[in-house]
Amino acid sequence: DGGITQSPKYLFRKEGQNVTLSCEQNLNHDAMYWYRQDPGQGLRLIYYSQIVNDFQKGDIAEGYSVSREKKESFPLTVTSAQKNPTAFYLCASSSTSGGSRNSPLHFGNGTRLTVT
Amino acid sequence: AQSVTQLGSHVSVSEGALVLLRCNYSSSVPPYLFWYVQYPNQGLQLLLKYTTGATLVKGINGFEAEFKKSETSFHLTKPSAHMSDAAEYFCAVSRIYGGSQGNLIFGKGTKLSVKP
């Protein structure tokens, strides 16, 4: 079955360490996204990528970095510069065929990051 | 600027009762609107979407939503709640700038509880 795989499901890190969250999709989607979810705040866009080797900052990109070397993969690095990294991180993808805004997002099951 | 407002962060209904989750949006162009559902520690799953055409949209699990342009609303309803409907629900509108497709702005979510 096609889908999005995020790993690991739970991640624990010490403050000051960088950590990379994995996101892989086999849906053949061009566009991929990273969202952060905090209780009561909904989802906020961190970074997105519409094609390989290209990505753009979302609403809360500070303290994060991404790469898009392959169509299937869009890893997110949470750097030590991110002031409040503990959160639930969701990766998503969508089709860009047809050139419309009505492509729904397909989500992975998320990674819960705890930094102490 | 575009925005999504979900009225009520928590809604509680009895099993068999009507479910009504409210969503209002702000958009300077005709919006594309979505409802997603999230079960604990999982990603988001698309319930339904409105793009153009019929203003009453039917989705999965017996949910439906009506687009009302005059009220800038897209409320989600289900005639009879089931215990399995307990989850968090997110309303979203598709962004209109930045050239990205499928890039959504989410509301803060409404947690639905279903009492036996």
Side-chain angles (χ1 to χ4, degrees):
Chain A
D1 285 342
I4 298 178
T5 301
Q6 291 188 243
S7 61
K9 190 166 180 65
Y10 299 95
L11 194 52
F12 298 89
R13 280 294 183 271
K14 295 289 189 185
E15 196 172 319
Q17 292 179 334
N18 292 355
V19 60
T20 297
L21 282 60
S22 169
C23 177
E24 303 278 334
Q25 56 101 356
N26 60 4
L27 298 167
N28 199 33
H29 285 167
D30 288 307
M32 296 187 73
Y33 309 82
W34 275 105
Y35 285 90
R36 170 181 171 139
Q37 185 177 18
D38 297 282
Q41 295 202 43
L43 279 73
R44 292 180 290 169
L45 182 66
I46 304 173
Y47 268 98
Y48 64 97
S49 167
Q50 289 185 280
I51 57 172
V52 174
N53 292 323
D54 188 44
F55 48 82
Q56 288 79 39
K57 293 181 179 180
D59 301 314
I60 56 164
E62 185 176 349
Y64 299 97
S65 66
V66 294
S67 63
R68 187 84 187 278
E69 297 177 2
K70 298 186 300 182
K71 185 176 183 177
E72 302 79 21
S73 179
F74 192 40
L76 173 74
T77 297
V78 184
T79 75
S80 56
Q82 167 52 232
K83 293 187 182 357
N84 186 18
T86 294
F88 189 50
Y89 291 87
L90 288 161
C91 180
S93 70
S94 70
S95 171
T96 57
S97 64
S100 68
R101 292 189 289 119
N102 65 357
S103 300
L105 293 176
H106 297 258
F107 283 86
N109 282 329
T111 292
R112 188 168 297 280
L113 173 65
T114 303
V115 177
T116 56
Chain B
Q2 292 176 288
S3 65
V4 174
T5 302
Q6 291 184 241
L7 188 61
S9 59
H10 289 87
V11 170
S12 182
V13 301
S14 297
E15 192 173 19
L18 171 71
V19 176
L20 171 60
L21 304 182
R22 299 178 188 274
C23 173
N24 288 89
Y25 68 90
S26 170
S27 180
S28 57
V29 299
Y32 291 171
L33 296 160
F34 304 79
W35 274 101
Y36 285 84
V37 61
Q38 184 182 35
Y39 298 99
N41 291 312
Q42 292 188 25
L44 278 68
Q45 179 184 3
L46 180 68
L47 273 179
L48 50 80
K49 68 176 184 180
Y50 168 79
T51 54
T52 58
T55 56
L56 183 62
V57 181
K58 295 188 185 299
I60 62 172
N61 301 340
F63 284 92
E64 61 183 37
E66 186 170 11
F67 170 64
K68 292 188 176 180
K69 183 179 177 181
S70 61
E71 299 177 8
T72 61
S73 70
F74 191 56
H75 302 330
L76 182 71
T77 60
K78 182 173 181 178
S80 176
H82 192 273
M83 297 296 290
S84 61
D85 295 327
E88 189 159 19
Y89 293 80
F90 292 91
C91 183
V93 64
S94 187
R95 290 183 197 253
I96 59 173
Y97 63 86
S100 62
Q101 298 161 8
N103 184 347
L104 303 180
I105 298 171
F106 287 88
K108 293 189 175 182
T110 298
K111 281 190 178 173
L112 175 66
S113 300
V114 182
K115 299 175 289 187

